[in-house]
Structures are given as C-alpha cells and as structure tokens.
Amino acid sequence: MNAPLRRVGVVVLVLFAMLFVNLNYRQVVKADDYRENSRNGRVQASEYERARGKIVNAQGIAVADAQETGDSLKFLRTYPLKDQYAHVLGYKPVNLAATSLEKLNNDFLVGTSDKQAADRIAGLFTGEKPAGGNVLLTISKSAQETAYTQLGNNKLKVKSGAVVALDPSTGAVLAEVSLPSYDPNLLSTHDTNAALANYKKLDADPGKPLLNRAVSDIYPPGSTFKVITSAAALTADSSLSPDSMVPGGEFYQPPQTSSFRIKNAHEGICPDSISLKQALTVSCNTVFARMGVERIGADKLKRMAADFGFESEPKYIEDQDRNYCGIVASHTGSMTAQNGVVDPPAVAQSSIGQREVKMSPLQGAMIAATVANGGREMRPYVVDRLQNADLSNADRTEPKEMGRPISGDVAAKLQEMMFSVVTSRDGTGRSANVSGLQVGGKTGTAEDGEDAQDHGWFIGFALKDGKPIISVAVFLENAGKGGSAEAARIAGQVMKAYADEKGIK
C-alpha cells in the first residue's frame, strides 16, 4: 500500500475512533443530562403523568398545587394565591426553565429524588409509579399575607419594595415578599406560546416584577447600618454603654478634608454631647460618622459587618441541591483613597450606611434577628421539611447557628438602644410599636442618587418576656419623605399579625 492510501486509511480510522468515543460519551456520560433535560418531550410527558407534589405554607395551605387537565400533559401546575408567594416559589413551566423552590426541589416534587428510592423500589413490584412528594415551608400565612397587603397598600403609594421576616431563634423565614410581583400561573400554562409571550412581557417590564428584591438585590441601607456601627463601637470599647455621653453636634468634618461635612437630617436633634442611646433614637449622623472615624476605624467596621454576614451570600440551607437561588451578598465597599490609604470621609459616610454600602432586605432582617437572639446568628431557611406521598417525613431542616458576631452583653445594649428608637417620644421608629410586645428597631433613609427619591428602611424585632418572637426588615424603594416611618409601620403590622397567629398577647 502506497503512502497516500495509508494516510487516508489512518484518517478514516481516526474518524471512526472519534465517532465511537463521541457515541459512548453521549450514551454513557451525557445520558442523565439528556434524559433529565426539561426540553426532552418524553421527560415532559413522564413528569406530567402524575400530580406534582404540593408546596404548602406553615399552616398547611397549598400555595403550589396540581390540577388535572385531560390533555397530553395530564396535570397543570397551579398557584392558588397567584402573586402573593411568587418570589418564594418561583414557577414550573413546560418549556421554560423552572426557578427558585420549584427548581431546587423538582426531583422530590415529581418523585424521582434519592430520598424516594424506597417508593420506587416498591413500585417495581406493584407497577405503580411513585407519587410526587410535598415541600412544607416555614412561611407564616398571617405574616406573609400582611406583608404582601401592607406593602402593596402602603400610604406613600410606593410600587417597589420588599419585606423579610425571620424567627430569630431558628432562622426560619416567616415572610418574604417582593413588589411588584407577578402571577406564576401565566408562566406555568401548557400553552407554551402564551407562556413565552407572558415571560417576555414580564422580563421587559421596567418595574422588574421578576426581580426578587427581598434577597436578589442590594440597596444603600442608610441609618439602619448604624446598628453595625454601634455594635463595632460597643465591642471595641467594653466601657461604652447606651448611657455613655459621646460627641454630637450639627455637623462633622472628617480629617483630611476642608470642605466635606456630614450633617444631621434635621437641625437641633443632636446637641454637642448626647448619650449613645439617644443618638440612635433620633438617628444622629454626626455621632456615628465621628465614631466610625475616631473610635472604630475602617478595618474594625468592615470586620463587624463581615461578622454579621456582609461580603458573603447567606445560605438558606447547606445542601446545595436545595439552597435558595438568587441570593446576593451585601457589601460595605471601599473605604480607601486611590493610593490605598484609609479615607476618613469615606469611613464617615460608610458608618451611616451611605457611599458604597449596600444591603439586601434579607441581610437587614438577619441583623435584627441576631440582636434579638442575644448575638447568635442563625442560618435562614425556608423549607421546613420534605414530606413523602404517604405524609411521612423524608427530610427536615434543623436550625443551625452560623456565628456570634457580638456577645450577649453587646446584644443586650443594642436591644436597649433599639427599644428606645421605637418607644421614645422622639424615636424615629415609633410607628412600629405593638401593644403587648417589646419592639426594637432602627429606621433608615438612604440616598439613591441626585435624581431619585430616598429609600425608606426599617429593621427591627419583637420580644415577649425577653424571648425573641420575630425580626422584620422592610424596604421601600425611592419612597421619599416619610419612607422610613411608613416602613416602620408596615413592620409593626407584620409583627402584630404573626404574634396574633401564635396567640402571643
């Protein structure tokens, strides 16, 4: 055989070898991917042959269900409460990608999870396919409903915002609302052309209804960040107490600047000497800006924020297959000049929650929960347990402590200061007060650029006989004047609704 023919033969053999390797790669390595791909028609038909498991709230009410259709896909995924739970649940479409809890718990909901292996083995003998399992949430009916209603009907007619409520002692998510919202039924319809058209319309909406503002975006926290600044100061100096007198004044001019000044929101609220508790009560900018620069410093301030969870994504649950998706990390940003040296004006601004400091509503609720829980920060979680078709438990989430950013002593001091914000005659968070509960909190008004209205914030908690009941963060996007007071009012309503549901008076 001459050389050209040998070369052709070698090329043909190599090509056959490549085809053989590719065929085995597709049949063996990629088999599961193709078999489980949501666009695989056989997978779709198989999934819809039996009812998808329910997702229910803490009171056992189905917030995601299945309905018989009579068409080729026998069951339709339905969302009875429409947009009220949309950002918690996500949606399960036919040809689009599933999102949030529907995606993360898909295997269990359709009955193919490893946790349901015994049911599938039994099915080999009975001939029955295992039914889908149910996902039981920690979400409180009253807290969720009140957060949704109060946020949507806020007195300032703000259209965008979020509410997150937690059980401080466990980390269980009691409410999670983001507005504007959407109706997931529009995306789960079996009319795939309609579903795609609905998705494109929602995706193009300038109000961003698909965005979960509660966990998936971060905003300037304004004066709510003074809780972190206070924690850093109290930790750095154990002799400091809520009654300690600290320098205040009408303005503060940080070192290394001749023109930059930080002022208070209102004149006359902050005398030259003021107690630390009163400074938080009236939200005195000059006190906390000065403390950040002169008592704490950039490193300790950033470290305290990091201990509370800034700079890292909160994990709703350690099992990555079930971890809530779309969660973003809060940030403190840079406090240094271009030459890398600490910039006092940047530290001053950051100490009052401005400049590059950004926080999610989830993070705000976690800060309040940690203070309420004596300094113990609990991992947030929204799935309480997975329930088999026979109603037995397949798995249950156990509360887990993530860390202790502050001591019990510092937490007690912060509680006293935050109580004053709500209960004092001149406190900025008076509208959060709830009869029968010990409510503490901190309001925040945050600038959002020269051409936008300020954001309104409130983070707080409620105790009963010293025991933590609930923590709440409320965010009103571009609320303008009165935004923080309205956020506090909404938080108080959520706290009251949850306490009433639990019979706490």
Side-chain angles (χ1 to χ4, degrees):
M1 182 182 295
N2 58 33
L5 287 177
R6 281 198 301 273
R7 284 196 291 271
V8 170
V10 169
V11 169
V12 171
L13 288 173
V14 170
L15 289 175
F16 270 111
M18 291 173 64
L19 285 172
F20 178 78
V21 169
N22 184 59
L23 179 62
N24 280 272
Y25 172 75
R26 305 235 173 230
Q27 289 185 330
V28 179
V29 178
K30 298 292 288 182
D32 287 342
D33 289 344
Y34 292 137
R35 183 169 56 252
E36 297 170 4
N37 192 297
S38 61
R39 294 183 180 275
N40 183 330
R42 286 180 295 177
V43 170
Q44 287 181 354
S46 175
E47 271 197 25
Y48 286 88
E49 282 181 359
R50 55 190 181 276
R52 187 176 179 84
K54 298 178 181 181
I55 303 179
V56 303
N57 64 17
Q59 281 63 49
I61 299 169
V63 294
D65 209 337
Q67 174 183 314
E68 289 192 58
T69 64
D71 60 30
S72 58
L73 301 180
K74 296 180 181 179
F75 290 92
L76 172 69
R77 192 54 157 176
T78 61
Y79 302 92
L81 296 178
K82 300 181 179 179
D83 54 348
Q84 187 180 133
Y85 282 75
H87 290 101
V88 180
L89 304 174
Y91 49 87
K92 177 65 173 76
V94 176
N95 277 339
L96 299 171
T99 63
S100 295
L101 293 181
E102 288 280 29
K103 174 184 178 182
L104 298 170
N105 296 278
N106 183 67
D107 287 354
F108 193 82
L109 289 164
V110 298
T112 60
S113 168
D114 290 344
K115 297 178 174 65
Q116 297 155 307
D119 289 342
R120 290 198 298 277
I121 292 172
L124 294 175
F125 299 97
T126 63
E128 295 182 1
K129 292 187 176 181
N134 301 322
V135 174
L136 280 58
L137 306 182
T138 60
I139 301 292
S140 152
K141 174 184 181 296
S142 293
Q144 182 77 4
E145 185 177 277
T146 302
Y148 172 80
T149 302
Q150 293 292 328
L151 188 63
N153 297 321
N154 67 85
K155 295 179 179 179
L156 301 177
K157 301 188 184 304
V158 176
K159 298 183 182 300
S160 302
V163 178
V164 177
L166 304 173
D167 180 337
S169 62
T170 65
V173 180
L174 304 176
E176 182 186 316
V177 174
S178 175
L179 291 182
S181 189
Y182 65 94
D183 182 356
N185 293 294
L186 298 174
L187 303 174
S188 64
T189 174
H190 290 180
D191 184 338
T192 55
N193 290 331
L196 181 59
N198 291 333
Y199 174 80
K200 289 181 177 179
K201 183 177 179 180
L202 290 168
D203 190 49
D205 189 326
K208 299 181 180 180
L210 294 175
L211 173 64
N212 187 347
R213 288 167 169 82
V215 303
S216 300
D217 209 354
I218 51 178
Y219 310 89
S223 292
T224 61
F225 192 76
K226 291 172 184 173
V227 176
I228 298 289
T229 306
S230 298
L234 291 165
T235 300
D237 184 355
S238 60
S239 67
L240 197 62
S241 75
D243 294 324
S244 296
M245 301 304 290
V246 293
E250 292 296 328
F251 68 87
Y252 173 62
Q253 185 172 315
Q256 301 179 22
T257 178
S258 59
S259 58
F260 178 76
R261 289 181 172 185
I262 285 182
K263 299 180 180 180
N264 298 310
H266 305 286
E267 292 184 4
I269 64 170
C270 195
D272 292 340
S273 182
I274 185 173
S275 73
L276 183 58
K277 178 167 65 176
Q278 183 66 8
L280 192 74
T281 299
V282 299
S283 202
C284 183
N285 289 337
T286 56
V287 165
F288 293 96
R290 186 190 302 271
M291 285 178 61
V293 174
E294 299 178 5
R295 278 181 176 262
I296 303 169
D299 289 344
K300 289 182 180 179
L301 185 63
K302 289 179 72 69
R303 191 178 310 125
M304 179 57 69
D307 288 344
F308 267 94
F310 279 68
E311 319 302 342
S312 59
E313 297 177 1
K315 298 298 184 185
Y316 265 41
I317 192 166
E318 287 185 341
D319 182 350
Q320 294 303 304
D321 291 334
R322 287 171 51 204
N323 185 34
Y324 205 65
C325 59
I327 294 179
V328 295
S330 301
H331 297 290
T332 51
S334 172
M335 300 183 197
T336 59
Q338 291 182 348
N339 59 6
V341 177
V342 172
D343 181 24
V347 178
Q349 285 182 297
S350 301
S351 298
I352 59 173
Q354 290 289 173
R355 203 171 183 270
E356 296 179 5
V357 181
K358 297 288 182 69
M359 181 176 81
S360 69
L362 170 61
Q363 184 68 65
M366 291 174 66
I367 292 170
T370 301
V371 174
N373 199 36
R376 298 170 62 234
E377 184 179 45
M378 305 302 292
R379 174 192 64 190
Y381 64 99
V382 71
V383 175
D384 177 52
R385 61 189 187 274
L386 302 180
Q387 187 182 70
N388 291 314
D390 63 2
L391 304 186
S392 63
N393 288 333
D395 193 13
R396 186 162 199 152
T397 304
E398 295 297 331
K400 180 179 180 181
E401 182 179 317
M402 292 181 10
R404 299 195 180 191
I406 52 176
S407 67
D409 179 62
V410 170
K413 292 176 180 178
L414 287 173
Q415 285 181 18
E416 180 182 342
M417 292 163 63
M418 293 172 76
F419 287 145
S420 182
V421 171
V422 175
T423 60
S424 293
R425 184 175 59 182
D426 49 0
T428 59
R430 295 187 307 279
S431 55
N433 206 6
V434 179
S435 177
L437 300 178
Q438 300 165 281
V439 178
K442 183 68 193 81
T443 54
T445 300
E447 296 176 357
D448 187 36
E450 294 181 0
D451 300 326
Q453 296 268 49
D454 293 343
H455 299 315
W457 281 91
F458 180 84
I459 65 171
F461 54 82
L463 310 182
K464 181 65 176 181
D465 300 326
K467 178 183 177 182
I469 303 300
I470 184 174
S471 74
V472 182
V474 178
F475 167 69
L476 294 176
E477 188 171 359
N478 303 129
K481 185 178 180 180
S484 61
E486 178 62 2
R489 186 195 67 79
I490 293 170
Q493 292 296 307
V494 174
M495 293 178 189
K496 182 180 185 305
Y498 181 69
D500 288 346
E501 182 180 82
K502 291 295 184 179
I504 301 171
K505 303 294 184 182

